[in-house]
């Protein structure tokens, strides 16, 4: 990680004094910021996720980040690991250095407008100084990522044309897309748990849509596989537009634009301890990639695979995991359904009815001296994280991935 220049003590004191105000008004500031940004630069709507904007998730995530920066401005080195996580998303989306001055200009303007007279020249100057330092850190980290991505074997910059080689229905709501480069070039490898960005032009929409999907197969294949849940397209859930388009409108042979794999939610393959993979809903996609990799490269490592779904109709890769378990004795699996069907009960095809809980985890996971990975809807991850924390699992052994803007558990 690059070393971050330090702020003057006066600027540090000024910014820290704004933290209580930002805690109260942070979301109002970021909401106004995005309004101003897109009014002045509508072309940036080609990059930003429109659904996250409409649902307020992006505004909340940015407000939390600004508040965290104010709280920890005297030790920026401590919060820079988060820079790398966000930088992965930026590189995957195509964020460039020239975007940062634009963002800084409108963020300061939003602070000034929302806070009014409370935003003194001294406060604005301190935040301008801090933003410049933080932006330079992002630009530097992202430049390294762009360079590494483009120069790796089979790598490319920005977006590349891929053909949908196959569409495979995995459950009533999840379909897998097998993507192969249109030019036939070899694919760069990736770390299990990483994702790619898919850029689509939907007929009738002014701006392109970009969505990030976890890779759901092991590296080393001649294709990338993503497994997408079809979300219902509702006014209060605008995130369904892209998934509905992929499910209903695309067909084998169609071309989509793909960015190279990114993300820091990755399986530590040097760790020899038991590993526990816990997923909810479509959150199983990175877990399947990790499981496939473990089965292929380290079949002796003890793995507990736990998946929560509504029922078997919503349960993707069920048969595949069960088949893997028959080949690898070190793998055990458990299914948790909160709305099992009559057929599920008759066939006894699941292990627990209800939700994942601490007592159930303790009854099926052989040891707490393991590395835990989990992914799924935010309420699910909060419950799992709380259970693991209560169990005494150290923070460094609890690894999780958010779909969309990073939040807090």
């Amino acid at each position: 990680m690059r070393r971050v220049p330090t702020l003057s003590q006066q600027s540090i004191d000024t910014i820290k004094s704004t933290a209580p105000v930002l805690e109260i008004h942070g979301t109002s500031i970021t909401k106004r910021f995005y309004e101003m940004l897109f009014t002045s630069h509508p072309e940036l709507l080609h990059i930003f996720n429109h659904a996250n904007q409409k649902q307020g998730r992006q505004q909340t995530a940015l407000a939390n980040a600004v508040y965290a920066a104010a709280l920890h401005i005297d030790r920026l080195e401590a919060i820079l690991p988060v820079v790398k996580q966000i930088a992965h998303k930026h590189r995957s989306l195509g964020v460039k250095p020239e975007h940062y001055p634009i963002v800084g200009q409108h963020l300061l303007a939003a602070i000034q407008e929302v806070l009014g007279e409370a935003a003194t020249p001294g406060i604005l100057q301190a935040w301008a100084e801090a933003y410049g330092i933080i932006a330079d850190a992002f630009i530097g980290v992202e430049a390294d990522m762009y360079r590494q991505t483009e120069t790796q074997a089979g790598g490319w910059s920005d977006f590349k044309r891929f053909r949908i080689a196959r569409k495979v229905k995995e459950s009533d709501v999840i379909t897998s897309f097998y993507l192969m480069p249109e030019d036939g070039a070899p694919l760069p490898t990736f770390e299990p748990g990483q994702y790619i960005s898919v850029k689509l032009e939907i007929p009738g929409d002014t701006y392109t849509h970009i969505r990030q999907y976890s890779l759901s197969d092991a590296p080393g294949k001649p294709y990338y596989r993503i497994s997408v849940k079809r979300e219902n397209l509702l006014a209060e859930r605008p995130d369904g537009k892209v998934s509905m388009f992929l499910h209903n409108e695309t067909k084998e042979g169609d071309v989509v634009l793909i960015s190279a794999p990114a993300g820091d939610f990755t399986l530590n393959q040097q760790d020899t301890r038991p590993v526990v993979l816990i997923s909810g809903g479509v959150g199983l996609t990175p877990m399947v990639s990790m499981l496939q990799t473990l089965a292929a490269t380290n079949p002796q490592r003890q793995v507990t695979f736990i998946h929560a779904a509504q029922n078997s109709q919503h349960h993707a890769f069920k048969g595949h995991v069960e088949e893997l378990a028959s080949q690898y004795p070190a793998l055990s699996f458990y299914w948790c359904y909160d709305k099992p069907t009559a057929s599920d009960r008759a066939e006894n095809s699941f292990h627990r009815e209800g939700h994942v809980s601490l007592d159930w985890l303790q009854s099926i996971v052989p040891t707490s001296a393991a590395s835990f990975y989990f992914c799924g809807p935010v309420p699910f991850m909060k419950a799992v994280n709380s259970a693991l924390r209560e169990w005494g699992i150290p923070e460094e052994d609890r690894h999780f991935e958010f779909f969309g803007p990073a939040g807090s558990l």
Side-chain angles (χ1 to χ4, degrees):
M1 181 66 70
R2 296 163 178 260
R3 187 181 180 279
V4 180
T6 56
L7 285 164
S8 67
Q9 188 59 49
Q10 181 178 355
S11 293
I12 288 173
D13 294 340
T14 300
I15 289 172
K16 286 183 77 71
S17 73
T18 66
V21 178
L22 292 173
E23 185 177 16
I24 298 170
H25 299 288
T27 303
S28 297
I29 290 171
T30 55
K31 180 181 178 181
R32 182 60 183 140
F33 156 71
Y34 282 116
E35 292 171 352
M36 298 168 74
L37 178 69
F38 295 140
T39 298
S40 299
H41 295 274
E43 72 278 5
L44 292 179
L45 286 166
H46 288 295
I47 296 176
F48 282 83
N49 184 316
H50 312 168
N52 290 334
Q53 290 292 321
K54 291 179 180 178
Q55 292 174 296
R57 296 180 64 193
Q58 193 72 55
Q59 294 89 329
T60 301
L62 179 58
N64 290 340
V66 173
Y67 175 60
L71 284 178
H72 304 292
I73 200 68
D74 53 343
R75 50 189 188 96
L76 282 177
E77 296 284 353
I79 64 172
L80 274 186
V82 180
V83 170
K84 187 174 182 182
Q85 180 188 53
I86 299 173
H88 272 287
K89 293 183 180 292
H90 285 180
R91 198 279 300 158
S92 179
L93 293 169
V95 172
K96 298 296 174 62
E98 56 265 29
H99 294 139
Y100 282 92
I102 297 171
V103 168
Q105 172 192 345
H106 291 288
L107 182 59
L108 289 173
I111 290 174
Q112 185 174 23
E113 181 177 312
V114 172
L115 298 187
E117 293 181 358
T120 64
I123 286 176
L124 294 174
Q125 178 57 40
W127 269 106
E129 183 184 352
Y131 178 82
I133 289 174
I134 295 171
D136 285 345
F138 273 105
I139 291 170
V141 171
E142 288 161 17
D144 290 342
M145 288 182 176
Y146 276 109
R147 191 178 308 111
Q148 180 182 357
T149 300
E150 187 172 4
T151 58
Q152 67 180 325
W156 71 91
S157 62
D158 295 322
F159 287 84
K160 181 174 177 174
R161 290 169 62 87
F162 274 65
R163 179 174 52 85
I164 300 175
R166 279 199 297 155
K167 285 178 68 172
V168 177
K169 186 176 180 180
E170 308 288 1
S171 77
D172 284 1
V173 294
I174 295 176
T175 292
S176 286
F177 297 79
Y178 290 74
L179 308 171
M180 301 184 70
E182 189 180 43
D183 61 7
L187 288 173
T189 190
F190 63 90
E191 294 294 319
Q194 289 192 307
Y195 54 81
I196 58 175
S197 286
V198 179
K199 180 188 283 190
L200 296 172
E201 292 186 3
I202 297 179
D205 286 6
T206 304
Y207 301 104
T208 55
H209 297 265
I210 301 177
R211 294 292 187 273
Q212 294 168 327
Y213 296 106
S214 297
L215 293 158
S216 62
D217 207 340
K221 306 291 178 66
Y223 56 80
Y224 287 151
R225 185 179 74 184
I226 58 174
S227 303
V228 180
K229 179 186 177 184
R230 185 186 66 249
E231 302 285 357
N232 293 324
L233 184 55
L234 304 171
E236 65 272 20
R237 290 292 304 271
D239 51 326
K241 174 170 282 193
V242 172
S243 69
M244 291 283 283
F245 182 82
L246 285 171
H247 274 255
N248 300 339
E249 305 299 330
T250 63
K251 58 185 183 300
E252 294 179 354
D254 284 353
V255 171
V256 293
L257 296 174
I258 302 296
S259 69
D264 64 349
F265 175 67
T266 56
L267 176 68
N268 182 355
Q269 299 185 67
Q270 279 67 54
D271 189 353
T272 59
R273 296 176 301 159
V275 60
V276 183
L277 307 175
I278 310 173
S279 57
V282 76
L284 91 165
T285 52
M287 303 307 176
V288 170
S289 178
M290 293 180 185
L291 179 61
Q292 295 266 74
T293 302
L294 288 164
T297 62
N298 193 3
Q300 304 306 313
R301 186 175 176 186
Q302 189 176 55
V303 181
T304 305
F305 191 95
I306 302 166
H307 181 60
Q310 288 188 29
N311 48 54
S312 60
Q313 295 174 347
H314 289 74
H315 188 170
F317 301 109
K318 179 177 186 289
H320 176 67
V321 173
E322 292 173 349
E323 182 180 351
L324 276 179
S326 70
Q327 301 171 18
Y328 300 103
L331 167 62
S332 56
F333 62 88
Y334 299 90
W335 312 139
C336 179
Y337 293 168
D338 63 342
K339 298 177 182 177
T341 65
S343 176
D344 293 332
R345 290 195 174 93
E347 296 173 6
N348 198 27
S349 63
F350 62 103
H351 303 88
R352 175 178 174 84
E353 182 172 352
H355 300 281
V356 174
S357 63
L358 174 58
D359 59 341
W360 187 54
L361 287 175
Q362 291 174 323
S363 72
I364 60 176
V365 175
T367 175
S368 61
S371 190
F372 292 78
Y373 296 81
F374 54 100
C375 186
V378 173
F380 170 84
M381 290 201 296
K382 285 184 175 181
V384 171
N385 190 57
S386 177
L388 296 179
R389 186 173 59 241
E390 185 178 345
W391 196 359
I393 307 302
E395 184 177 358
E396 60 269 21
D397 287 333
R398 305 195 308 264
H399 313 278
F400 55 89
E401 171 79 314
F402 276 98
F403 290 141
S408 173
L409 295 190

